[in-house]
Amino acid sequence: MAEPTDEQLREYAAKLPQIYRDILAAFAKADPARRQGDAVQVERLMQALPGTEFDTNRPTLRDINEAISNLRFEDIVEDTGYGGVHPTEVGERLIGFVTGRQAPTKVIPPLPVPSW
């Protein structure tokens, strides 16, 4: 599958229903220090969604899980296998269009090759 252009992703982001926009924006709220590719637990995403736990308009855990499943199907996020998800490269770009900012990239240098 070809990578979408920025314009295609921008148009796609503008058409996303609110639940998907909220979930993508929740990555930064759930972990403000998150870097590109870092996973976030689904429970933390849910806690970062707008509204309070008593808000009747707030999505349920079932709604969130279904929406995340749809994001997985479209290769926007991937499952970590430990109750968390992380955005794919396309997902990171899409988060940028939804939130107006990109998560910082990882900049940990590689270790030198041992000489022993």
Side-chain angles (χ1 to χ4, degrees), residues 12-63:
Y12 186 74
K15 293 189 282 187
L16 283 173
Q18 193 62 45
I19 189 169
Y20 298 106
R21 297 176 64 77
D22 289 345
I23 290 170
L24 293 171
F27 275 90
K29 293 175 187 170
D31 182 0
R34 190 184 78 79
R35 298 173 300 180
Q36 288 190 22
D38 286 353
V40 174
Q41 296 294 314
V42 173
E43 184 178 312
R44 300 255 335 250
L45 286 175
M46 186 163 178
Q47 292 168 352
L49 292 174
T52 68
E53 63 181 288
F54 304 109
D55 186 350
T56 57
N57 293 322
R58 184 183 171 106
T60 65
L61 182 57
R62 177 181 286 166
D63 296 335

Side-chain angles (χ1 to χ4, degrees), residues 43-99:
E43 184 178 312
R44 300 255 335 250
L45 286 175
M46 186 163 178
Q47 292 168 352
L49 292 174
T52 68
E53 63 181 288
F54 304 109
D55 186 350
T56 57
N57 293 322
R58 184 183 171 106
T60 65
L61 182 57
R62 177 181 286 166
D63 296 335
I64 301 303
N65 283 328
E66 185 176 338
I68 288 173
S69 178
N70 292 343
L71 291 169
R72 266 193 225 104
F73 181 78
E74 295 299 333
D75 295 322
I76 295 169
V77 299
E78 293 177 339
D79 199 357
T80 64
Y82 300 102
V85 291
H86 65 88
T88 61
E89 288 184 34
V90 168
E92 288 289 358
R93 291 172 55 209
L94 191 56
I95 288 171
F97 288 117
V98 167
T99 65

